[in-house]
Amino acid sequence: MQIASVVFSSPLPQLDKPFDYLVPDGLKDSLSFGVQVLVPFGTAKKLKTGIVIAIQEHSGHEGKLSEVAEILSGIPILTIPQFELCQAVALRQMGQVGELLGTAVPKRSVRAEALYLKSIPTTWINSPSTKPSRVQNPKRTFVTPGVLDTDEQMHWTSLIINAAEIVIRSGHSVLVVLPDFRELIVFESALYDSGLIKNSVRQSSEDSLKDRWTNHIKAVNQSGLIVYGTRLASFAPCNDLSAIFLVDDGDESHQEQSSPYWHSRDVLLQRSQLENCQIEVIAHSPSSEIARLCEIGYFEHHVLDSAKPLVRITSTSERIDQETYALISKTLRENKPVLIQIANLGFASALACASCKEIRRCGTCNGTLWLDPSKTERCRNCKRTFTDGCSCGGTAVRPISLGSSALAEQLNKSFPKANIVHSSGVERLTMIEPAGTLVIATPGAEPSVAGGYKLIVLADSLTMLGVPRLRGLEQACQKWANAISKSATDGLVVIVGLSGKIADQLRDLDFASVIRDDMLERAELGLPPATRVMSVHAKNMKDLNRLKVLIAEQVDELEPIPTAVANTIVYGYAIASGSAVATKLKVLVSEVSKSSKDKLPGQRVLFVNMDDHQVI
DNA sequence: AGCACGCCGACT
DNA sequence: GTCGGCGTGCTC
C-alpha cells in the first residue's frame, strides 16, 4: 500500500514535521503533491486538514499508520517550490514550516473552488510544462526608476510591465511584490492600461476569501501569469516562475510583524535562488541590504538617466527659512501646487539649544528631546527627563520642529488666502487638484497631483535623521526620494537643515551613495546588514537566563550585544552562520520552553526574532 | 490544538 | 476509601 506524507498548517513545533498515512485504494489515483486531505489525528474526534507533500512506498515511522480519510479538493493547492520556500524561510527565521503554510495557502472557499473548476477545462490543470527552458544565469538587479513619476517611460510600473510582458509571452510567470495597497492600485491600473490584466492574478489580504481562493488555485494550476500583491504574495504560487519584481523594499510594510518575522526581500531572495530566476528590486532610494548586495557584487545597480527636479539645500535650523517662505508664496501666487513634508503631527517635536543651535540629545541613548506636557525636557526614546543644560553651557531651548497642527497655524497666518490641506497616516489623501494648494503631509502620506508639485519642501530633515534608530537615515532617504518623485519636471525641491557630505550627495539626488556610506559605516561597527542581529524576548526572566547560559555554552556563533530593552537578549552573528545558529537555537528554545514554569496553553514562552533591527 | 494519562486535595 | 484538579505529553 502507498504512504502519503502529510503536513499541517500549525505554529506548534511538535507538529512541524510530516506525518505518514496509508492511502486507501479508492483514493490512490487522486492523491498527489499539494492535495488537501482530511486525516485522523491523535485522539481528536474531528478530522484534521493537512496537505500531502509526498507519496511513497515505505514509511520511516515505526508505529502503526492511520488511513487518509478524505480528499478535500481534487486539485493541488500548494506547489513544490512554494513548499521548499516555506522550508527555507522557516530555517532562516527559526520558525515552523507549518506557520508559513498559512501564508502560502489562504483559507479555502468551497464555493469559489466549485465555480473555478466548472469554468476551466480540466486539461489546464496540471498540464506538463512545454515551455522553453529559462536562462542559466538569471540577473539580480537593483533598478532606480525615473526620479519623477511624471516620467512615464521610466515609471516603475512601466519597467515592470514591459519586462513582464516578454516573460509571460514565453509561458513563464512573473511575481510582483508591492509595499502597500496604494502601490497595488497604481500597478493594477497600469495592468489594465497595458491589457495584461487578463493574464494577471492578485494576492492581497484585503480581498474577500472567495476572491483570494479563486486567485490562489488559478495561480497554482496555470502558467504564464503575472502574480502581484502585497508582502503575502512573496509566498504565492507561480508556475514556471522566471522573474521576480520587488518594489520599494525599504518600506516598512514589507516586514512581517508576527513570528517568524520574515521580510519580503529575504523571502524573495531565497525564492530567486531556489527557483533559479531573475530578481529585480526597484526603489528610488536603496535599502541598506540592497546597498550591501550591490557592494559585494551579488546585485548590479542600474541607474536610469532621467529628468530631475532642481534641488536646493538650506542648512538653517529654522524649519522654514525666509527664502523658502518666499518660494512658497510665489508658487501659490502662480496657482501651482506646493508640498511640505513634515516628520510628525502635533506640536513641538524636537528641541535645539538656544545659544549654540545644536539639537539637544539624551545623554544616555542619544535620542532627541522634547517638551512633555509638564514642560520638562524628556527623551523621546528612553523617556528620561533632563534638567542639565547643553554641553555649551546654555540651558535655554527652543522648539525646532513643530508638528503639522502648529505649522498649519503658522502657515495660515502667512498665507491667509491659500488652500491648506493635510495628509497623514490617519487621514490620508491620495490625490489633489493641481491648482494652488498647499499640502502638509507626513512621510509616506503625500497625495499625488497631476503634473507633479511645482515646489516640494522637506522641512524636517534634522528630526528625521535625529531618530536614534539603526534605519533612521535609510528610512528618511526612502521617504524623501518618494516625496521627490511627486515633483513636476520643472519643479524645485528644498531640503531644509542639511549640511556636510550628505547635503552634497543629496544635491545630486544620489541616494545610493548616502546609503552605501551609511552601510559601510555600520559594517565597521558590526551592525546589520553586514552582520545579522537577533533577539529573544520572554515574559519570564528565569527562562531567558536559562537560555542565555545554554547559548553561552553551546552556540559560539552568537556574540552577545547589550540592550536597553527589557526582558530581551540580543546577539549578533555572521550571515554565513545563520542556518547553524537557527538549528542549534531551535533545540535550546524548545528545551527551555518545555520545562518553563511560566507557560500558558498554546502560547510561546520565548519569542525569537532572527533579524531584529528595532532593539539596537 | 485537543484529548488522555497521571498523581495530590475535599467529598459520600 | 473515591472523584476530579489540570500539569504534561503525544498525535503518523
Side-chain angles (χ1 to χ4, degrees), chain A residues 34-54:
Chain A
V35 170
Q36 228 169 356
V37 288
L38 288 176
V39 290
F41 193 73
T43 49
K45 281 193 283 283
K46 68 171 185 226
L47 299 169
K48 201 171 168 64
T49 306
I51 302 172
V52 175
I53 52 127

Side-chain angles (χ1 to χ4, degrees), chain A residues 179-180 183 248-255 263 478-479 482:
Chain A
D180 203 339
E183 284 81 9
D248 213 2
D249 69 310
D251 194 284
E252 314 90 89
S253 22
H254 282 301
Q255 178 67 54
H263 190 287
Q478 187 237 349
K479 299 298 182 198
N482 286 348

Side-chain angles (χ1 to χ4, degrees), chain A residues 177-196:
Chain A
V177 179
L178 308 150
D180 203 339
F181 200 68
R182 285 184 303 163
E183 284 81 9
L184 189 104
I185 296 301
V186 170
F187 182 68
E188 199 163 66
S189 73
L191 280 175
Y192 273 105
D193 292 346
S194 67
L196 293 177

Side-chain angles (χ1 to χ4, degrees), chain A residues 453-529:
Chain A
Y453 289 95
K454 183 76 199 286
L455 176 65
I456 294 178
V457 181
L458 305 177
D460 280 339
S461 53
L462 277 177
T463 320
M464 283 170 74
L465 293 186
V467 182
R469 257 189 265 125
L470 183 69
R471 293 183 179 274
L473 177 63
E474 192 179 336
Q475 277 167 357
C477 284
Q478 187 237 349
K479 299 298 182 198
W480 292 339
N482 286 348
I484 291 169
S485 75
K486 298 191 186 301
S487 165
T489 315
D490 60 348
L492 172 67
V493 174
V494 180
I495 308 177
V496 181
L498 279 191
S499 55
K501 193 175 176 193
I502 290 180
D504 293 335
Q505 289 166 323
L506 289 191
R507 208 162 278 133
D508 302 322
L509 296 178
D510 187 5
F511 290 102
S513 296
V514 176
I515 302 304
R516 180 180 172 272
D517 290 351
D518 183 47
M519 182 274 298
L520 292 174
E521 221 170 273
R522 283 196 228 162
E524 271 180 45
L525 297 168
L527 293 172

Side-chain angles (χ1 to χ4, degrees), chain A residues 313-587:
Chain A
I313 295 185
T314 72
S315 55
T316 72
S317 55
E318 274 168 286
R319 188 177 217 179
I320 298 177
D321 58 301
Q322 280 313 305
E323 213 171 319
T324 309
Y325 253 110
L327 280 167
I328 295 171
S329 171
K330 178 171 166 282
T331 313
L332 288 174
R333 271 203 308 277
E334 290 167 1
N335 212 26
K336 298 269 174 62
V338 176
L339 169 68
I340 301 181
Q341 187 198 62
I342 55 157
N344 38 19
L345 302 163
F347 286 81
S349 53
L351 298 169
C353 170
S355 42
C356 75
K357 305 274 198 292
E358 281 290 310
I359 290 191
R360 295 277 282 114
R361 281 176 187 285
C362 169
T364 337
C365 75
N366 210 31
T368 49
L369 306 185
W370 66 302
L371 285 183
D372 73 4
S374 67
K375 298 270 155 69
T376 317
E377 285 180 49
R378 192 180 284 277
C379 173
R380 277 190 176 278
N381 192 42
C382 68
K383 320 290 183 223
R384 283 172 53 132
T385 57
F386 288 85
T387 46
D388 42 336
C390 177
S391 52
C392 78
T395 49
V397 290
R398 64 193 186 86
I400 53 154
S401 75
L402 308 163
S404 71
S405 349
L407 181 69
E409 274 173 28
Q410 206 175 314
L411 291 167
N412 265 323
K413 266 182 231 154
S414 318
F415 309 108
K417 286 184 203 156
N419 173 29
I420 301 181
V421 296
H422 294 252
S423 182
S424 68
V426 265
E427 278 175 283
R428 184 182 276 172
L429 300 170
T430 48
M431 199 77 196
I432 61 146
E433 290 302 313
T437 307
L438 176 56
V439 180
I440 303 173
T442 52
E446 300 87 359
S448 294
V449 60
Y453 289 95
K454 183 76 199 286
L455 176 65
I456 294 178
V457 181
L458 305 177
D460 280 339
S461 53
L462 277 177
T463 320
M464 283 170 74
L465 293 186
V467 182
R469 257 189 265 125
L470 183 69
R471 293 183 179 274
L473 177 63
E474 192 179 336
Q475 277 167 357
C477 284
Q478 187 237 349
K479 299 298 182 198
W480 292 339
N482 286 348
I484 291 169
S485 75
K486 298 191 186 301
S487 165
T489 315
D490 60 348
L492 172 67
V493 174
V494 180
I495 308 177
V496 181
L498 279 191
S499 55
K501 193 175 176 193
I502 290 180
D504 293 335
Q505 289 166 323
L506 289 191
R507 208 162 278 133
D508 302 322
L509 296 178
D510 187 5
F511 290 102
S513 296
V514 176
I515 302 304
R516 180 180 172 272
D517 290 351
D518 183 47
M519 182 274 298
L520 292 174
E521 221 170 273
R522 283 196 228 162
E524 271 180 45
L525 297 168
L527 293 172
T531 45
R532 290 174 71 185
V533 169
M534 60 151 287
S535 73
V536 188
H537 172 82
K539 288 200 198 86
N540 188 332
M541 227 24 230
K542 222 169 196 161
D543 295 329
L544 210 53
N545 282 328
R546 232 149 60 73
L547 183 72
K548 207 172 173 177
V549 171
L550 290 173
I551 286 174
E553 284 168 2
Q554 295 176 41
V555 193
D556 44 8
E557 290 92 345
L558 287 175
E559 196 67 43
I561 295 176
T563 178
V565 186
N567 283 21
T568 304
I569 46 174
V570 178
Y571 295 90
Y573 58 104
I575 291 171
S577 46
S579 61
V581 168
T583 312
K584 287 184 187 176
L585 209 58
K586 195 166 186 171
V587 178

Side-chain angles (χ1 to χ4, degrees), chain A residues 48-120:
Chain A
K48 201 171 168 64
T49 306
I51 302 172
V52 175
I53 52 127
I55 301 287
Q56 294 157 307
E57 292 302 320
H58 304 285
S59 168
H61 190 249
E62 299 293 323
K64 65 165 176 246
L65 304 178
S66 294
E67 285 189 1
V68 175
E70 212 177 300
I71 292 178
L72 267 184
S73 39
I75 50 170
I77 48 91
L78 178 76
T79 66
I80 295 173
Q82 260 189 304
F83 183 62
E84 287 174 348
L85 181 65
C86 289
Q87 287 183 304
V89 173
L91 173 65
R92 191 190 145 91
Q93 302 303 119
M94 217 210 84
Q96 274 64 247
V97 178
E99 61 189 334
L100 292 168
L101 285 174
T103 50
V105 182
K107 209 177 161 299
R108 182 171 179 242
S109 162
V110 183
R111 263 185 70 75
E113 190 175 299
L115 253 146
Y116 173 83
L117 290 172
K118 219 188 283 175
S119 66
I120 297 296

